[in-house]
Amino acid sequence: MHPRESGRFRDETVQKDPDDILRDDRAYVWHPFTWMPRYLAREALVITGAEGIYLIAADGRPFMDGTASMWLNVHGHNRPEIREAIVAQLDRFAHVSVFGQTHAPAAELARRLVEVTAAGLNHVFYSDDGATAVEVALKLAFQHAQIRGETNRTKFLALRHAYHGDTLGAVSVGDIEHFHHAFRPLLFECIHAPSPGCAHCELGRDMTYCEIACLDELEKIMARQAAHLCAFVVEPIVQGAAGMLVAKEGYLRGARDLCTRHGVPMIADEVFTGFGRTGRMFACEHEDVSPDILCLAKGLTGGTIPLAATLTTDRIYEAFLGDDPARCTFFHGHSYTANPLACAAALASLDVFEKDDTLAHVQALEKMIASDAERFRKLPHASGVRFKGLVFAFDVVADEAPLKPYDASERMGQKVCDAAMTRGLLIRPLGDTVYLVPPLVTTEAQLRQMLDIVHDAVREVTG
Ligand SMILES: *Cc1c(COP(=O)(O)O)cnc(C)c1O
């Protein structure tokens, strides 16, 4: 049913006048990742409702949520099972601390997360966002080395074009020049290994013949640096913010083996790839990899309330059980850690995965994308068509052979997204990379519609 006809939106009469909302917004709200003069020069979209895969604008127009509201939403907006779990917890209490005490949603969710993640990850440290999940992972890895007396281990190894969030630790291991350059003087030392994303291969290999050359580079770095590394940080299978770069098959398994051989803990940042996005519950499962530390956020609550978790092994946890509290306490914690409403939402979301058979659904959608990819490859201004699970991306380019990007000032990626918006699909570009990352609950018919819109938008904008 069309969302406007379902009658589940709040009564229009109790909603604020969109003009009042816009006036307050323009006067007071400073938007993230936004150059405000450009934002203020446009009429911003005011969202007044959300249902399933649709966002409803103040003027009543429905838009398909092609980015799952910043890569978060899993089971659709306003999913009744999750809503009811939050409301039921709200009837008990909204928030109490887990500093030195506990509550049922935190304890039960920790058990469920240990059950659903790779074998070996047995301990859960909660925080609030993807960046904090990563921050926790970095500090844990560092302090773990310190406790073990390996005081030379002070550096991190990460991937080129990595994105791990916006707090300073996460920015230190990140490598997106455009986002990170302003903060360079504040950052700690991190070595970057070549990205395994074939679409933008920096080693200039042809993916058909390549035998994972980036893994050889990783091995060289590890051989030289292992004794100085507290961890290798990786976004498994898909590097999201880098441009939805899909790694060469075998890279992750190879990287895990190198970490094991060189005694370097592996931190898998599944903030984006976790909870079904790639067609498995966690991307590490594609290559049967168990990391030493796993970062989860975004889809953890189905995309409803901020919550993050950092999981780790007995080995790392037990190092912190030593008898010197000054050395063996992990001094980290956020005031809203393990918020009970968020934990309740996460538990309900895990149940919906089973009820909907979400993973099988995503695998079917991936097959659909695979059979449609050729249509995009044939577009003269689309290059590097790539997909995994319910992630689909390509780059809009001035020329395909030889590859020539558009001048950044043309903002072609943004223009394609603007053209999609007039057709009822909300997407945001990453530079000139155009991508679809809709809620996992998206039906085949809806996905077909999204792909058609994107195809039409590229043709319109590139002439
Ligand atoms: C989004 C993202 C983060 C940061 O998560 P926030 O909740 O935005 O802080 C970290 N790592 C990856 C891989 C991400 O995609």
Side-chain angles (χ1 to χ4, degrees):
M1 194 186 334
H2 192 282
R4 262 186 302 187
E5 286 150 27
S6 72
R8 289 199 45 233
F9 290 114
R10 284 183 293 157
D11 182 353
E12 307 256 329
T13 56
V14 302
Q15 297 231 352
K16 279 210 154 67
D17 183 339
D19 290 337
D20 291 340
I21 298 170
L22 275 175
R23 193 176 319 114
D24 285 348
D25 175 74
R26 296 170 73 85
Y28 306 117
V29 181
W30 190 343
H31 288 261
F33 275 87
T34 300
W35 183 49
M36 289 306 290
R38 186 179 286 137
Y39 176 83
L40 294 170
R42 291 165 67 120
E43 177 88 341
L45 195 62
V46 178
I47 303 295
T48 53
E51 183 84 24
I53 68 150
Y54 290 93
L55 304 179
I56 313 302
D59 60 8
R61 279 180 302 165
F63 290 97
M64 288 187 285
D65 186 0
T67 61
S69 293
M70 224 45 242
W71 318 353
L72 304 174
N73 193 278
V74 180
H75 306 297
H77 295 279
N78 255 343
R79 183 74 193 219
E81 296 91 328
I82 299 180
R83 238 179 135 269
E84 281 155 22
I86 295 168
V87 170
Q89 177 56 39
L90 195 50
D91 285 341
R92 291 175 211 115
F93 49 89
H95 184 75
V96 300
S97 147
V98 288
F99 285 62
Q101 55 187 23
T102 195
H103 53 68
E108 185 183 351
L109 179 61
R111 175 173 55 75
R112 294 280 298 276
L113 289 176
V114 167
E115 284 166 3
V116 80
T117 52
L121 297 169
N122 293 333
H123 307 277
V124 179
F125 193 97
Y126 287 112
S127 62
D128 312 316
D129 290 280
T132 57
V134 170
E135 213 67 40
V136 166
L138 300 174
K139 288 174 74 175
L140 264 185
F142 178 81
Q143 194 175 340
H144 173 246
Q146 297 293 310
I147 291 174
R148 295 173 61 90
E150 299 173 330
T151 49
N152 284 338
R153 291 185 187 265
T154 55
K155 296 183 208 173
F156 287 89
L157 175 61
L159 295 181
R160 214 108 67 203
H161 315 308
Y163 177 78
H164 297 290
D166 299 325
T167 53
L168 285 175
V171 170
S172 292
V173 293
D175 183 44
I176 297 188
E177 188 56 23
H178 183 56
F179 302 164
H180 297 157
H181 69 97
F183 305 107
R184 194 118 296 154
L186 299 179
L187 308 181
F188 57 71
E189 190 174 354
C190 180
I191 301 163
H192 286 98
S195 157
C198 294
H200 295 179
C201 180
E202 63 201 75
L203 302 173
R205 302 302 169 105
D206 180 323
M207 72 182 287
T208 323
Y209 307 107
C210 175
E211 291 182 1
I212 330 186
C214 43
L215 212 45
D216 299 337
E217 296 299 313
L218 184 68
E219 178 157 27
K220 282 183 208 154
I221 296 171
M222 286 223 189
R224 253 183 313 177
Q225 297 281 353
H228 301 282
L229 295 177
C230 34
F232 169 58
V233 192
V234 58
E235 289 163 85
I237 310 289
V238 186
Q239 283 187 274
M244 302 297 159
L245 300 182
V246 180
K248 179 87 180 174
E249 195 180 328
Y251 177 86
L252 188 65
R253 181 69 254 167
R256 170 70 266 186
D257 293 345
L258 286 174
C259 285
T260 305
R261 185 143 26 98
H262 291 280
V264 177
M266 174 189 262
I267 298 174
D269 175 358
E270 294 230 29
V271 169
F272 169 55
T273 52
F275 299 99
R277 179 53 61 188
T278 68
R280 303 292 293 267
M281 197 60 164
F282 300 101
C284 282
E285 293 172 26
H286 289 286
E287 303 197 358
D288 205 15
V289 158
S290 182
D292 299 281
I293 300 179
L294 175 67
C295 305
L296 304 174
K298 292 199 169 110
L300 172 54
T301 60
T304 54
I305 304 185
L307 180 69
T310 306
L311 282 82
T312 193
T313 57
D314 292 342
R315 179 186 150 87
I316 291 178
Y317 174 74
E318 283 165 9
F320 288 79
L321 300 182
D323 30 81
D324 179 359
R327 244 160 59 87
C328 299
T329 302
F330 185 50
F331 289 106
H332 189 105
H334 303 277
S335 44
Y336 275 103
T337 279
N339 173 261
L341 300 174
C343 291
L347 285 165
S349 174
L350 288 173
D351 290 342
V352 177
F353 267 98
E354 286 171 29
K355 180 173 160 191
D356 282 8
D357 204 355
T358 303
L359 300 178
H361 177 63
V362 173
Q363 287 156 19
L365 295 179
E366 178 179 336
K367 287 210 180 83
M368 212 192 104
I369 293 173
S371 68
D372 204 22
E374 198 49 34
R375 177 161 68 123
F376 286 85
R377 293 201 176 97
K378 282 192 185 132
L379 285 171
H381 296 280
S383 150
V385 175
R386 51 199 179 267
F387 54 88
K388 187 79 190 176
L390 195 48
V391 178
F392 172 73
F394 59 89
D395 311 309
V396 273
V397 295
D399 246 311
E400 265 207 294
L403 198 62
K404 186 169 166 279
Y406 283 107
D407 193 86
S409 66
E410 292 192 65
R411 308 188 79 235
M412 288 300 274
Q414 185 60 54
K415 283 181 185 152
V416 171
C417 294
D418 291 345
M421 186 175 165
T422 65
R423 292 166 165 82
L425 171 65
L426 276 188
I427 48 176
R428 271 171 73 90
L430 288 159
D432 280 348
T433 297
V434 172
Y435 68 90
L436 277 174
V437 169
L440 303 187
V441 75
T442 301
T443 64
E444 293 202 14
Q446 289 165 337
L447 181 60
R448 165 80 52 208
Q449 206 183 341
M450 291 181 191
L451 289 162
D452 287 347
I453 288 175
V454 172
H455 194 266
D456 289 348
V458 175
R459 286 209 306 187
E460 178 194 301
V461 169
T462 61

